[in-house]
Amino acid sequence: MNPYVEEVYDDVLKRDPNEPEFHQAVHEVLESISLAVDKHPEYQETRLLERLVEPERQIIFRVPWVDDNGEVQVNRGYRVEFNSALGPYKGGLRFHKSVNRNIIKFLGFEQIFKNALTAQGIGGGKGGSDFDPHGRSDTEIMRFCQQFMTELYRHIGEQTDVPAGDIGVGGREIGYLFGMYKRLTNRFESGVLTGKSLNWGGSLVRTEATGYGTVLFAQSMLDVKGETLDGKRVVVSGSGNVSIYAVEKAQQLGADVVTVSDSSGWVLDEDGIDVELLKQIKEVERGRIKEYADRKKGVKFFSGSRPWEVPCDIALPCATQNELNDKDAKRLIENGVKAVSEGANMPSTPDAVDMFQEADVLFGPGKAANAGGVATSALEMEQNASRASWSFEKAEGRLTEIMKNIHDDAYATSEEYGRPGDYVLGANITGFERVATAMLEQGIV
Ligand code: GLU
């Protein structure tokens, strides 16, 4: 590593010692950009990396609310506005019991480079709460979202910071958050949130976008090797919004998808995942994945772990961070995996990534492979700004084009740095250079 890069990383460790996921995300980026930093002494002169790893603003707030039993609950809300060099802060809100400042910082940091890769003029941010939506009634979800917004509203805006969904935050939550924002500000400001309902400013394809994009990225990687998804056996983890539409797109492109999972376990369906049944259980009934096995003949349910032991050509980790470790990677490689495309944010541990790359497995890192969601959010902002609503075909066409460009730009950078096909290096340097150039041009701010 370049000595300046190393010094910056050591300072990050010292300054916030208890943030392992944030350290992991920063380390991966700094390691990849080291070669680019060698070429630019002005980065060190302007302390650009120190500024890059320090969020522009971090907001932490109390979210008190009353549950259905009349009990007062107190959660913690976060919004980390990480970098606005390329545009208003943009990134999702995660409601999950594991949320803390470290998790939101890692996600916000990743978001900076992901958003830069989309080339759509969006900065990076992330937020959320340690609120656990599991088992909560619809009115509890509504009250929580309203209380969360009574603080968040003063920090966001269509030209300032534009939240969206992430784990635990989908169309329903965005509706409740938007309703409270409108009431508090007396403004119907469509562009303040994305992932909205189609009835009042949402974009077609936003729901499908992350999962579709992850598969399109896998397809682009295979294309370089003269291969396609047709007839490939695909293993997917997760069963939320990203996974469902990754399954759907992979099937449209002729692949056989045989697994999905949730935090309780995973299912193996050798006849191919029935997407309609999956949508019914997960989107309509908000149930557990075990029900999929209970309702469809011949499906096996395995409790606990993830589906990485299942032999496959393509693995799509679409659940959460660090869900695929070195042992899983070893198993996948032994079983002949050809490509891994990350639908989740940082699902593979650093050791797993190294192993895939050493074994010449095509590896699409999340910040490139799952950028389709935020890219389509930016398309939603574009439609809101012009009061337009595009057709499904138009929105999907734009998404496809953006995913192809992200792939091609990352690939071109990997070639330029003498590591063709190293998408980690390619994506990190491409995203970083766009942000770094804007930061230099905008001075010390
Ligand atoms: N949470 C998604 C992500 O990780 C989407 C963010 C957005 O649409 O702003 O990129």
Side-chain angles (χ1 to χ4, degrees):
M1 251 202 233
N2 168 298
Y4 168 48
V5 171
E6 226 165 288
E7 180 194 317
V8 172
Y9 184 64
D10 288 344
D11 283 349
V12 168
L13 296 180
K14 267 188 229 133
R15 203 163 200 186
D16 290 304
N18 301 316
E19 300 188 346
E21 279 83 3
F22 179 57
H23 300 159
Q24 184 183 333
V26 169
H27 190 267
E28 190 218 74
V29 170
L30 291 181
E31 193 172 46
S32 318
I33 64 171
S34 192
L35 291 172
V37 173
D38 288 343
K39 293 201 231 161
H40 292 275
E42 67 275 26
Y43 293 162
Q44 185 165 3
E45 281 152 30
T46 61
R47 294 285 157 194
L48 189 129
L49 296 182
E50 285 89 334
R51 290 188 282 138
L52 187 71
V53 296
E54 183 67 17
E56 290 177 16
R57 189 177 297 112
Q58 305 181 59
I59 302 140
I60 302 184
F61 51 100
R62 182 175 71 188
V63 190
W65 59 285
V66 182
D67 70 17
D68 285 349
N69 299 322
E71 301 281 339
V72 176
Q73 302 284 341
V74 182
N75 286 101
R76 195 172 280 176
Y78 300 86
R79 187 73 184 166
V80 172
E81 298 179 334
F82 224 118
N83 191 295
S84 62
L86 293 175
Y89 310 106
K90 181 86 198 84
L93 297 171
R94 175 176 293 192
F95 291 171
H96 191 267
K97 56 182 190 288
S98 66
V99 164
N100 55 36
R101 192 173 76 137
N102 153 47
I103 296 290
I104 299 300
K105 278 177 70 185
F106 118 63
L107 291 164
F109 189 71
E110 291 278 294
Q111 201 82 42
I112 304 171
F113 308 99
K114 183 196 305 197
N115 294 4
L117 281 167
T118 72
Q120 288 170 297
I122 41 180
K126 201 87 184 191
S129 175
D130 57 1
F131 169 69
D132 181 5
H134 279 122
R136 290 296 180 188
S137 70
D138 192 65
T139 49
E140 288 179 316
I141 299 284
M142 180 178 73
R143 283 199 298 277
F144 178 79
C145 289
Q146 291 176 336
Q147 286 293 88
F148 185 83
M149 188 52 87
T150 58
E151 175 58 38
L152 187 70
Y153 87 99
R154 56 185 110 245
H155 308 288
I156 62 176
E158 63 186 339
Q159 309 294 347
T160 310
D161 183 357
V162 182
D166 195 81
I167 294 172
V169 177
R172 172 179 63 164
E173 290 74 16
I174 293 294
Y176 294 146
L177 290 163
F178 185 80
M180 195 47 138
Y181 181 83
K182 179 163 61 71
R183 182 177 169 96
L184 289 165
T185 59
N186 194 30
R187 283 168 61 90
F188 196 108
E189 195 183 325
S190 308
V192 69
L193 290 171
T194 60
K196 299 182 292 294
S197 161
L198 297 172
N199 291 322
W200 42 273
S203 173
L204 283 164
V205 189
R206 177 62 192 87
T207 307
E208 294 84 353
T210 313
Y212 277 21
T214 301
V215 173
L216 294 172
F217 196 89
Q219 187 193 33
S220 293
M221 293 195 296
L222 289 169
D223 199 33
V224 175
K225 303 274 173 198
E227 292 196 50
T228 66
L229 272 155
D230 195 30
K232 297 280 189 307
R233 190 173 153 92
V234 177
V235 163
V236 173
S237 65
S239 51
N241 169 260
V242 180
S243 313
I244 293 171
Y245 294 95
V247 174
E248 186 169 283
K249 180 52 78 182
Q251 290 179 342
Q252 284 171 11
L253 295 174
D256 300 318
V257 187
V258 292
T259 66
V260 280
S261 72
D262 67 15
S263 55
S264 63
W266 54 281
V267 294
L268 176 63
D269 184 352
E270 289 289 358
D271 294 330
I273 297 293
D274 176 342
V275 186
E276 291 316 312
L277 177 60
L278 182 62
K279 286 182 187 172
Q280 174 64 27
I281 293 169
K282 283 287 167 178
E283 290 182 341
V284 182
E285 299 169 23
R286 298 176 188 276
R288 307 300 294 169
I289 204 60
K290 186 172 181 304
E291 285 163 38
Y292 182 94
D294 294 343
R295 286 195 218 171
K296 194 173 172 213
K297 263 212 184 117
V299 178
K300 287 190 199 130
F301 174 76
F302 302 84
S303 60
S305 59
R306 307 257 182 217
W308 309 128
E309 66 201 63
V310 177
C312 64
D313 301 305
I314 318 276
L316 304 177
C318 297
T320 195
Q321 64 271 3
N322 293 328
E323 57 162 316
L324 194 165
N325 64 23
D326 47 347
K327 288 189 201 76
D328 302 320
K330 186 166 179 277
R331 196 78 181 260
L332 283 162
I333 293 164
E334 281 166 4
N335 285 333
V337 71
K338 293 186 170 70
V340 178
S341 187
E342 294 187 325
N345 290 311
M346 212 170 74
S348 311
T349 63
D351 289 347
V353 177
D354 289 347
M355 289 171 70
F356 288 136
Q357 293 194 320
E358 272 157 34
D360 272 331
V361 173
L362 296 165
F363 179 76
K367 62 171 80 65
N370 74 34
V374 76
T376 309
S377 278
L379 299 178
E380 184 173 328
M381 291 161 74
E382 193 176 325
Q383 291 167 78
N384 294 155
S386 58
R387 302 185 69 80
S389 306
W390 302 345
S391 66
F392 193 93
E393 290 67 33
K394 176 163 177 176
E396 193 181 17
R398 288 285 302 273
L399 168 66
T400 307
E401 194 186 330
I402 293 166
M403 291 313 297
K404 172 100 177 67
N405 289 340
I406 294 174
H407 171 275
D408 293 357
D409 291 349
Y411 191 84
T413 305
S414 72
E415 275 189 317
E416 188 189 323
Y417 281 84
R419 302 246 292 267
D422 181 342
Y423 293 99
V424 175
L425 178 113
N428 283 333
I429 294 186
T430 306
F432 167 71
E433 286 194 328
R434 288 179 188 163
V435 178
T437 306
M439 286 175 73
L440 286 177
E441 288 166 350
Q442 291 168 16
I444 312 293
V445 286

mmCIF file of all heavy atoms in Angstrom, residues 44-68:
data_model
loop_
_atom_site.group_PDB
_atom_site.id
_atom_site.type_symbol
_atom_site.label_atom_id
_atom_site.label_comp_id
_atom_site.label_asym_id
_atom_site.label_seq_id
_atom_site.Cartn_x
_atom_site.Cartn_y
_atom_site.Cartn_z
ATOM 1 N N GLN A 44 -2.605 13.908 -1.481
ATOM 2 C CA GLN A 44 -2.017 14.035 -0.144
ATOM 3 C C GLN A 44 -1.911 15.508 0.267
ATOM 4 O O GLN A 44 -2.204 15.861 1.411
ATOM 5 C CB GLN A 44 -0.629 13.383 -0.118
ATOM 6 C CG GLN A 44 -0.026 13.388 1.272
ATOM 7 C CD GLN A 44 1.156 12.434 1.410
ATOM 8 O OE1 GLN A 44 1.573 11.797 0.450
ATOM 9 N NE2 GLN A 44 1.690 12.333 2.604
ATOM 10 N N GLU A 45 -1.518 16.345 -0.698
ATOM 11 C CA GLU A 45 -1.382 17.781 -0.391
ATOM 12 C C GLU A 45 -2.691 18.385 0.125
ATOM 13 O O GLU A 45 -2.687 19.272 0.974
ATOM 14 C CB GLU A 45 -0.939 18.553 -1.648
ATOM 15 C CG GLU A 45 0.548 18.423 -1.936
ATOM 16 C CD GLU A 45 0.863 18.569 -3.427
ATOM 17 O OE1 GLU A 45 0.121 19.291 -4.148
ATOM 18 O OE2 GLU A 45 1.838 17.937 -3.860
ATOM 19 N N THR A 46 -3.801 17.904 -0.413
ATOM 20 C CA THR A 46 -5.101 18.479 -0.015
ATOM 21 C C THR A 46 -5.791 17.605 1.038
ATOM 22 O O THR A 46 -6.968 17.808 1.331
ATOM 23 C CB THR A 46 -6.040 18.630 -1.232
ATOM 24 O OG1 THR A 46 -6.266 17.330 -1.792
ATOM 25 C CG2 THR A 46 -5.458 19.546 -2.284
ATOM 26 N N ARG A 47 -5.068 16.621 1.562
ATOM 27 C CA ARG A 47 -5.626 15.703 2.570
ATOM 28 C C ARG A 47 -6.969 15.128 2.109
ATOM 29 O O ARG A 47 -7.939 15.059 2.876
ATOM 30 C CB ARG A 47 -5.769 16.420 3.926
ATOM 31 C CG ARG A 47 -4.436 16.796 4.532
ATOM 32 C CD ARG A 47 -3.740 15.582 5.110
ATOM 33 N NE ARG A 47 -2.297 15.758 5.221
ATOM 34 C CZ ARG A 47 -1.445 14.755 5.439
ATOM 35 N NH1 ARG A 47 -1.875 13.522 5.539
ATOM 36 N NH2 ARG A 47 -0.165 14.974 5.527
ATOM 37 N N LEU A 48 -6.970 14.773 0.833
ATOM 38 C CA LEU A 48 -8.222 14.324 0.218
ATOM 39 C C LEU A 48 -8.750 13.026 0.846
ATOM 40 O O LEU A 48 -9.942 12.876 1.095
ATOM 41 C CB LEU A 48 -8.009 14.140 -1.283
ATOM 42 C CG LEU A 48 -9.300 13.882 -2.042
ATOM 43 C CD1 LEU A 48 -9.437 14.820 -3.225
ATOM 44 C CD2 LEU A 48 -9.405 12.443 -2.517
ATOM 45 N N LEU A 49 -7.846 12.088 1.154
ATOM 46 C CA LEU A 49 -8.324 10.812 1.702
ATOM 47 C C LEU A 49 -8.858 10.967 3.120
ATOM 48 O O LEU A 49 -9.839 10.325 3.498
ATOM 49 C CB LEU A 49 -7.225 9.748 1.660
ATOM 50 C CG LEU A 49 -6.736 9.339 0.266
ATOM 51 C CD1 LEU A 49 -5.688 8.240 0.369
ATOM 52 C CD2 LEU A 49 -7.887 8.867 -0.614
ATOM 53 N N GLU A 50 -8.199 11.845 3.901
ATOM 54 C CA GLU A 50 -8.703 12.092 5.267
ATOM 55 C C GLU A 50 -10.121 12.669 5.196
ATOM 56 O O GLU A 50 -10.978 12.364 6.015
ATOM 57 C CB GLU A 50 -7.822 13.091 6.021
ATOM 58 C CG GLU A 50 -6.499 12.531 6.497
ATOM 59 C CD GLU A 50 -5.389 12.665 5.457
ATOM 60 O OE1 GLU A 50 -5.692 12.723 4.253
ATOM 61 O OE2 GLU A 50 -4.213 12.687 5.870
ATOM 62 N N ARG A 51 -10.340 13.537 4.195
ATOM 63 C CA ARG A 51 -11.679 14.116 4.049
ATOM 64 C C ARG A 51 -12.674 13.072 3.554
ATOM 65 O O ARG A 51 -13.817 13.036 3.976
ATOM 66 C CB ARG A 51 -11.618 15.322 3.095
ATOM 67 C CG ARG A 51 -10.884 16.514 3.738
ATOM 68 C CD ARG A 51 -10.999 17.751 2.885
ATOM 69 N NE ARG A 51 -10.107 17.750 1.735
ATOM 70 C CZ ARG A 51 -10.451 18.160 0.509
ATOM 71 N NH1 ARG A 51 -11.665 18.598 0.278
ATOM 72 N NH2 ARG A 51 -9.566 18.139 -0.475
ATOM 73 N N LEU A 52 -12.200 12.193 2.668
ATOM 74 C CA LEU A 52 -13.081 11.175 2.095
ATOM 75 C C LEU A 52 -13.606 10.181 3.136
ATOM 76 O O LEU A 52 -14.752 9.728 3.066
ATOM 77 C CB LEU A 52 -12.308 10.413 1.007
ATOM 78 C CG LEU A 52 -13.098 9.418 0.168
ATOM 79 C CD1 LEU A 52 -14.053 10.150 -0.765
ATOM 80 C CD2 LEU A 52 -12.156 8.540 -0.649
ATOM 81 N N VAL A 53 -12.760 9.821 4.111
ATOM 82 C CA VAL A 53 -13.173 8.805 5.090
ATOM 83 C C VAL A 53 -13.953 9.408 6.265
ATOM 84 O O VAL A 53 -14.433 8.670 7.124
ATOM 85 C CB VAL A 53 -11.970 7.983 5.639
ATOM 86 C CG1 VAL A 53 -11.313 7.184 4.517
ATOM 87 C CG2 VAL A 53 -10.962 8.876 6.353
ATOM 88 N N GLU A 54 -14.062 10.723 6.286
ATOM 89 C CA GLU A 54 -14.803 11.384 7.371
ATOM 90 C C GLU A 54 -16.145 11.881 6.817
ATOM 91 O O GLU A 54 -16.171 12.708 5.906
ATOM 92 C CB GLU A 54 -13.964 12.577 7.889
ATOM 93 C CG GLU A 54 -14.553 13.320 9.065
ATOM 94 C CD GLU A 54 -14.608 12.499 10.348
ATOM 95 O OE1 GLU A 54 -13.926 11.462 10.472
ATOM 96 O OE2 GLU A 54 -15.382 12.904 11.242
ATOM 97 N N PRO A 55 -17.270 11.378 7.341
ATOM 98 C CA PRO A 55 -18.554 11.836 6.802
ATOM 99 C C PRO A 55 -18.707 13.349 6.932
ATOM 100 O O PRO A 55 -18.244 13.946 7.913
ATOM 101 C CB PRO A 55 -19.582 11.130 7.689
ATOM 102 C CG PRO A 55 -18.866 9.998 8.320
ATOM 103 C CD PRO A 55 -17.431 10.416 8.432
ATOM 104 N N GLU A 56 -19.364 13.957 5.937
ATOM 105 C CA GLU A 56 -19.584 15.405 6.021
ATOM 106 C C GLU A 56 -20.471 15.741 7.228
ATOM 107 O O GLU A 56 -20.302 16.760 7.872
ATOM 108 C CB GLU A 56 -20.227 15.910 4.718
ATOM 109 C CG GLU A 56 -19.244 15.856 3.552
ATOM 110 C CD GLU A 56 -19.841 16.263 2.213
ATOM 111 O OE1 GLU A 56 -20.926 16.883 2.177
ATOM 112 O OE2 GLU A 56 -19.214 15.947 1.186
ATOM 113 N N ARG A 57 -21.429 14.871 7.498
ATOM 114 C CA ARG A 57 -22.338 15.133 8.628
ATOM 115 C C ARG A 57 -22.913 13.797 9.120
ATOM 116 O O ARG A 57 -23.255 12.944 8.294
ATOM 117 C CB ARG A 57 -23.482 16.043 8.155
ATOM 118 C CG ARG A 57 -24.382 16.570 9.251
ATOM 119 C CD ARG A 57 -25.460 17.530 8.716
ATOM 120 N NE ARG A 57 -24.910 18.729 8.131
ATOM 121 C CZ ARG A 57 -24.959 19.031 6.819
ATOM 122 N NH1 ARG A 57 -25.535 18.231 5.965
ATOM 123 N NH2 ARG A 57 -24.426 20.152 6.361
ATOM 124 N N GLN A 58 -23.024 13.659 10.440
ATOM 125 C CA GLN A 58 -23.620 12.435 10.995
ATOM 126 C C GLN A 58 -24.702 12.837 11.981
ATOM 127 O O GLN A 58 -24.425 13.544 12.945
ATOM 128 C CB GLN A 58 -22.572 11.613 11.746
ATOM 129 C CG GLN A 58 -21.356 11.263 10.915
ATOM 130 C CD GLN A 58 -20.365 10.423 11.702
ATOM 131 O OE1 GLN A 58 -20.690 9.348 12.170
ATOM 132 N NE2 GLN A 58 -19.154 10.918 11.863
ATOM 133 N N ILE A 59 -25.900 12.358 11.737
ATOM 134 C CA ILE A 59 -27.017 12.739 12.595
ATOM 135 C C ILE A 59 -27.499 11.490 13.340
ATOM 136 O O ILE A 59 -27.773 10.466 12.718
ATOM 137 C CB ILE A 59 -28.173 13.314 11.737
ATOM 138 C CG1 ILE A 59 -27.665 14.520 10.928
ATOM 139 C CG2 ILE A 59 -29.368 13.704 12.583
ATOM 140 C CD1 ILE A 59 -28.201 14.584 9.538
ATOM 141 N N ILE A 60 -27.555 11.592 14.656
ATOM 142 C CA ILE A 60 -28.040 10.469 15.467
ATOM 143 C C ILE A 60 -29.158 11.014 16.339
ATOM 144 O O ILE A 60 -28.983 12.062 16.981
ATOM 145 C CB ILE A 60 -26.911 9.874 16.336
ATOM 146 C CG1 ILE A 60 -25.749 9.419 15.435
ATOM 147 C CG2 ILE A 60 -27.431 8.693 17.178
ATOM 148 C CD1 ILE A 60 -24.614 8.720 16.152
ATOM 149 N N PHE A 61 -30.296 10.356 16.338
ATOM 150 C CA PHE A 61 -31.436 10.933 17.058
ATOM 151 C C PHE A 61 -32.294 9.874 17.742
ATOM 152 O O PHE A 61 -32.297 8.704 17.361
ATOM 153 C CB PHE A 61 -32.287 11.799 16.118
ATOM 154 C CG PHE A 61 -32.699 11.147 14.812
ATOM 155 C CD1 PHE A 61 -33.963 10.609 14.654
ATOM 156 C CD2 PHE A 61 -31.824 11.093 13.726
ATOM 157 C CE1 PHE A 61 -34.362 10.029 13.451
ATOM 158 C CE2 PHE A 61 -32.206 10.505 12.518
ATOM 159 C CZ PHE A 61 -33.473 9.973 12.388
ATOM 160 N N ARG A 62 -33.026 10.332 18.734
ATOM 161 C CA ARG A 62 -33.917 9.460 19.493
ATOM 162 C C ARG A 62 -35.243 9.319 18.738
ATOM 163 O O ARG A 62 -35.779 10.293 18.223
ATOM 164 C CB ARG A 62 -34.171 10.107 20.847
ATOM 165 C CG ARG A 62 -35.032 9.292 21.770
ATOM 166 C CD ARG A 62 -35.126 9.953 23.124
ATOM 167 N NE ARG A 62 -35.930 11.176 23.076
ATOM 168 C CZ ARG A 62 -36.033 12.015 24.097
ATOM 169 N NH1 ARG A 62 -35.379 11.799 25.216
ATOM 170 N NH2 ARG A 62 -36.778 13.089 24.000
ATOM 171 N N VAL A 63 -35.744 8.070 18.690
ATOM 172 C CA VAL A 63 -37.055 7.856 18.073
ATOM 173 C C VAL A 63 -37.974 7.174 19.085
ATOM 174 O O VAL A 63 -38.037 5.944 19.170
ATOM 175 C CB VAL A 63 -36.962 6.990 16.791
ATOM 176 C CG1 VAL A 63 -38.308 6.994 16.054
ATOM 177 C CG2 VAL A 63 -35.852 7.462 15.863
ATOM 178 N N PRO A 64 -38.684 7.963 19.900
ATOM 179 C CA PRO A 64 -39.623 7.368 20.849
ATOM 180 C C PRO A 64 -40.970 7.141 20.165
ATOM 181 O O PRO A 64 -41.404 7.969 19.353
ATOM 182 C CB PRO A 64 -39.760 8.464 21.920
ATOM 183 C CG PRO A 64 -39.449 9.752 21.210
ATOM 184 C CD PRO A 64 -38.655 9.447 19.983
ATOM 185 N N TRP A 65 -41.609 6.021 20.453
ATOM 186 C CA TRP A 65 -42.908 5.737 19.846
ATOM 187 C C TRP A 65 -43.686 4.819 20.764
ATOM 188 O O TRP A 65 -43.109 4.218 21.683
ATOM 189 C CB TRP A 65 -42.750 5.152 18.444
ATOM 190 C CG TRP A 65 -41.951 3.872 18.386
ATOM 191 C CD1 TRP A 65 -40.594 3.746 18.497
ATOM 192 C CD2 TRP A 65 -42.476 2.544 18.246
ATOM 193 N NE1 TRP A 65 -40.228 2.426 18.430
ATOM 194 C CE2 TRP A 65 -41.359 1.665 18.263
ATOM 195 C CE3 TRP A 65 -43.760 2.002 18.082
ATOM 196 C CZ2 TRP A 65 -41.500 0.286 18.131
ATOM 197 C CZ3 TRP A 65 -43.901 0.629 17.944
ATOM 198 C CH2 TRP A 65 -42.774 -0.213 17.975
ATOM 199 N N VAL A 66 -44.992 4.707 20.522
ATOM 200 C CA VAL A 66 -45.842 3.922 21.414
ATOM 201 C C VAL A 66 -46.347 2.691 20.663
ATOM 202 O O VAL A 66 -46.915 2.816 19.581
ATOM 203 C CB VAL A 66 -47.037 4.772 21.907
ATOM 204 C CG1 VAL A 66 -47.903 3.971 22.878
ATOM 205 C CG2 VAL A 66 -46.532 6.049 22.583
ATOM 206 N N ASP A 67 -46.105 1.491 21.209
ATOM 207 C CA ASP A 67 -46.525 0.271 20.513
ATOM 208 C C ASP A 67 -48.013 -0.003 20.737
ATOM 209 O O ASP A 67 -48.701 0.745 21.442
ATOM 210 C CB ASP A 67 -45.615 -0.916 20.871
ATOM 211 C CG ASP A 67 -45.803 -1.402 22.296
ATOM 212 O OD1 ASP A 67 -46.829 -1.076 22.931
ATOM 213 O OD2 ASP A 67 -44.905 -2.127 22.781
ATOM 214 N N ASP A 68 -48.494 -1.088 20.135
ATOM 215 C CA ASP A 68 -49.934 -1.384 20.188
ATOM 216 C C ASP A 68 -50.425 -1.703 21.603
ATOM 217 O O ASP A 68 -51.613 -1.654 21.880
ATOM 218 C CB ASP A 68 -50.262 -2.577 19.268
ATOM 219 C CG ASP A 68 -50.249 -2.173 17.799
ATOM 220 O OD1 ASP A 68 -50.190 -0.960 17.512
ATOM 221 O OD2 ASP A 68 -50.295 -3.074 16.944
#
